[in-house]
Amino acid sequence: MGRHSLPDGSAPARTGARRGARPRALVLATGLALTVAAGTVVALERGLLPFGGPCGGDVTRLDVAASPDIAPAVKAVAQSAREEAARTDGRCLDVRVTSRSAHEVADAFGQRPVDPEFQVWIPDSSLWVDRVGAERGTPLTTAGIIASSPVAMGAVPLAAKSLGWPEKTYTWTELARATAADDALHLGIADPSRSATGLLSLARISAANTKKAPDRVTADTRTAATARLLNQRAADSDGQAMATLPRDASGAEQRNPRRDQALLLSEQAAFAHNHNARADGGPELDLLYPEDGTARLDYPYTLVDNSETDPERSRAANRFLTLLSEPAGQRALRRLGFRAPTGEAEPKVVTAAGGRDPQPYSAAPAEPPTAKDLQALMGMWTITVQSARLSTVVDASASMGAPVPGHSGRSRMDLAKNSLLQALTTFTSEDEIGLWKFATSLDGAKDYVELSPTARLGGRDKDGSTHREALGDAFGALAPEPQGATGLYDTTLAAYEKARSTYASGKFNALVVLTDGANDDAHGIGLDALVGELKKLSDPKRPVPLIALAIGPEADTSALNRIVAPTGGSTHRVSDPSQIHQVMLKAIMAAGSNVPR
């Protein structure tokens, strides 16, 4: 599915300086024409020369990176600190604020060594800080929360009226369903892999589906379906998402198929949009706040634990946090549409952002998603955005015919293939799936045979049937080989070589191996040699994670763990083969969340 592009004539504002950029010293190239005094005045106005007067030239410099939405307010507090000669350790505090998108900083901090460019980072959400921690990247410490903003749905007046705003309230799932049901009402979102607003919105939709659905598989299927719809209108950043809204109230703009009539966004983003719309004459947004709890951006004041940061700068960082938290600093944040850290609704902010009674704008936010929930959602989104190319390799050794206790005599293979058929229903026509089976000496000297090539499910096979139908028949025909043992290692190597040689750019590529035993081919490749070959084949720039599903107690998880490690994959124990589809989908989503963004 294609990414939603910017409307014609729209260009997002720059959201920050390039990586490594520093404020430049004033260059007096025309020194003969300008006096030294005039140059000094200009430099002082721009904050490029040391403090004079009460500071006596003694200044402590603090560099701060802030999310583009909050950077102007942080800069205003920094400017006030300079004008009022705020001090730290007896020196004047000179804070330089750079606007940087949170996902770019998180990507950089997810790797070592520490980037010494700034000492404080203020992203729009704690989820970025948590992500860096989960990746064991640059050490970070959250010293406090300086602001907050709930996530809601903004709609232009005609769209809001069609949804019954402000009297009618919606849950997250009802909002998604209402916009999906109206072909003329396009709902936009910022890419959840790059936007906390987008990811938290998807998390709330997922939580609502989990609460309403009869089981987790149904909930995940519903969330994936919503994600596919949202992906059609996804923009690369919050700024680009805002640029997709109609520029004026004309019929041409309202009907433009490249425009979004509704958008998942923060209250502060709606506040800023409406402020600009009032000045430019464009349509303002009305806000619909989900009644089952909003998500919330929380703006953590994060200290970068850099060994090169001297104690003086550390104290300066704490001093600036105090200035942001004091009444004057909080007023500066409120003027730009932010709520207090505790999240209480500010009537003037809500009204300016487009909120009205009886919309539940003052309700407490929902519990934030766990790191595990977010990882699963990122995997789901990655697969939704990229589509999947999966080669499925199923053990057909004799042991797969063993009956499973508690399933009325049905065998491991019976349950496994039924579960695989269930998994097949969750993939789209754009996904590519194939099937191999393996057992010793299955095809002459080979332990494996390809039953169905890895191809697009919506494509047509030679007999005219869809590939989905042909693959379903191949799954249904799987049966244990009465004399077959587990030819695991040779099969894994051959299947991985094929998956690597047929790698599809722009898709999530993976190899899924289901086995219920240890390798039992004495004439094939050994474990050490297999691991060595997989290390040679693996390429982080073209990742093909190997996902191993170990069925039953005889499966050799120790060997499987070694096999999957070079590929960035994972091993999963499956005690009940009827649950393979659930385990497989979760494993795929987890692998998808680790694909480089």
Side-chain angles (χ1 to χ4, degrees):
M1 298 179 182
R3 177 62 52 80
H4 184 57
S5 57
L6 284 176
D8 43 353
S10 298
R14 290 187 65 184
T15 57
R18 62 178 174 80
R19 183 176 176 83
R22 293 285 191 178
R24 297 179 180 177
L26 185 65
V27 178
L28 299 179
T30 57
L32 294 177
L34 299 175
T35 66
V36 173
T40 302
V41 169
V42 173
L44 283 171
E45 287 178 350
R46 296 185 181 179
L48 298 175
L49 294 181
F51 290 86
C55 294
D58 293 331
V59 174
T60 296
R61 166 78 172 265
L62 182 69
D63 289 291
V64 177
S67 182
D69 51 351
I70 204 168
V74 178
K75 287 179 179 179
V77 177
Q79 180 62 28
S80 294
R82 280 195 291 270
E83 292 172 351
E84 298 169 10
R87 292 177 177 271
T88 174
D89 285 345
R91 294 168 172 262
C92 280
L93 180 61
D94 182 17
V95 181
R96 308 297 177 92
V97 182
T98 301
S99 176
R100 292 278 295 275
S101 70
H103 87 88
E104 290 178 355
V105 178
D107 283 347
F109 277 177
Q111 305 173 24
R112 294 177 182 268
V114 167
D115 184 343
E117 187 178 354
F118 44 84
Q119 297 80 50
V120 174
W121 177 33
I122 308 175
D124 54 4
S125 173
S126 294
L127 68 84
W128 300 114
V129 181
D130 294 340
R131 196 187 97 183
V132 173
E135 293 174 354
R136 298 183 180 180
T138 297
L140 302 170
T141 300
T142 297
I145 302 297
I146 64 169
S148 66
S149 188
V151 176
M153 190 182 84
V156 296
L158 284 176
K161 184 178 180 180
S162 72
L163 292 169
W165 180 91
E167 287 80 13
K168 184 172 176 55
T169 59
Y170 292 82
T171 64
W172 280 96
T173 52
E174 289 169 347
L175 273 177
R177 194 179 304 122
T179 52
D182 188 346
D183 291 338
L185 206 171
H186 297 144
L187 175 62
I189 189 175
D191 184 346
S193 69
R194 296 168 174 263
S195 162
T197 301
L199 183 54
L200 290 171
S201 297
L202 190 60
R204 289 303 307 139
I205 292 170
S206 175
N209 284 332
T210 299
K211 185 176 181 179
K212 294 289 186 180
D215 54 65
R216 188 57 186 261
V217 173
T218 303
D220 287 346
T221 301
R222 291 175 181 175
T223 301
T226 302
R228 292 187 189 104
L229 290 173
L230 291 173
N231 176 53
Q232 297 180 50
R233 311 292 300 183
D236 281 342
S237 67
D238 294 301
Q240 290 189 4
M242 298 302 298
T244 65
L245 292 167
R247 291 172 293 189
D248 55 53
S250 68
E253 276 291 285
Q254 298 290 332
R255 292 189 297 271
N256 188 336
R258 300 181 71 187
R259 295 289 179 190
D260 290 322
Q261 289 74 45
L263 200 64
L264 295 170
L265 77 176
S266 71
E267 181 183 83
Q268 190 279 331
F271 178 99
H273 172 87
N274 288 350
H275 174 79
N276 294 331
R278 285 190 290 273
D280 300 337
E284 297 184 35
L285 293 175
D286 299 321
L287 282 187
L288 292 93
Y289 295 78
E291 63 183 13
D292 48 347
T294 62
R296 186 173 73 170
L297 303 179
D298 61 354
Y299 302 93
Y301 188 90
T302 309
L303 305 178
V304 182
D305 298 343
N306 182 2
S307 59
E308 298 179 10
T309 302
D310 55 66
E312 186 178 278
R313 280 194 170 187
S314 295
R315 289 191 291 272
N318 289 324
R319 173 66 174 135
F320 189 52
L321 172 58
T322 299
L323 294 177
L324 288 167
S325 304
E326 287 177 346
Q330 288 294 297
R331 284 194 297 271
L333 289 160
R334 224 65 73 241
R335 282 193 293 270
L336 292 184
F338 294 94
R339 293 190 182 190
T342 50
E344 290 92 352
E346 180 74 26
K348 290 182 178 179
V349 169
V350 172
T351 300
R356 297 287 189 279
D357 287 322
Q359 290 294 315
Y361 56 79
S362 60
E367 285 294 315
T370 66
K372 185 178 180 180
D373 291 337
L374 292 177
Q375 184 186 42
L377 283 170
M378 278 310 307
M380 177 185 292
W381 183 260
T382 297
I383 295 170
T384 298
V385 169
Q386 295 184 333
S387 295
R389 179 178 172 82
L390 305 177
S391 299
T392 309
V393 182
V394 179
D395 191 342
S397 60
S399 57
M400 286 292 287
V404 178
H407 285 276
S408 303
R410 300 177 72 190
S411 70
R412 292 174 181 172
M413 182 64 87
D414 291 333
L415 297 174
K417 64 185 183 183
N418 287 342
S419 195
L420 288 169
L421 285 168
Q422 290 185 58
L424 183 60
T425 64
T426 66
F427 291 96
T428 72
S429 295
E430 298 303 313
D431 293 319
E432 300 177 16
I433 314 285
L435 175 63
W436 291 29
K437 71 174 182 178
F438 69 96
T440 51
S441 303
L442 187 61
D443 182 16
K446 293 193 301 183
D447 295 340
Y448 49 86
V449 63
E450 184 179 59
L451 299 178
S452 183
T454 302
R456 181 173 163 272
L457 291 176
R460 295 283 175 178
D461 283 0
K462 293 180 179 179
D463 63 358
S465 63
T466 65
H467 184 61
R468 184 190 297 274
E469 292 169 338
L471 185 60
D473 291 342
F475 278 137
L478 284 169
E481 296 293 326
Q483 305 302 319
T486 307
L488 176 62
Y489 295 168
D490 281 355
T491 302
T492 298
L493 180 57
Y496 198 79
E497 288 175 334
K498 181 70 175 289
R500 284 288 293 113
S501 66
T502 57
Y503 180 90
S505 297
K507 290 183 177 287
F508 169 73
N509 293 249
L511 175 65
V512 180
V513 177
L514 291 78
T515 181
D516 73 340
N519 183 68
D520 197 21
D521 183 358
H523 304 291
I525 191 172
L527 179 59
D528 290 341
L530 171 60
V531 172
E533 290 299 316
L534 292 174
K535 287 180 179 178
K536 295 176 185 177
L537 289 167
S538 298
D539 181 357
K541 294 181 180 179
R542 295 162 61 88
V544 183
L546 197 164
I547 298 168
L549 304 182
I551 304 169
E554 294 86 12
D556 189 350
T557 54
S558 176
L560 291 173
N561 285 333
R562 288 193 60 193
I563 291 169
V564 303
T567 72
S570 56
T571 300
H572 304 267
R573 171 74 73 179
V574 184
S575 56
D576 183 350
S578 68
Q579 302 302 308
I580 284 174
H581 62 293
Q582 295 187 31
V583 177
M584 186 173 81
L585 291 174
K586 288 181 180 178
I588 290 170
M589 290 177 189
S593 69
N594 294 323
V595 170
R597 289 174 284 275

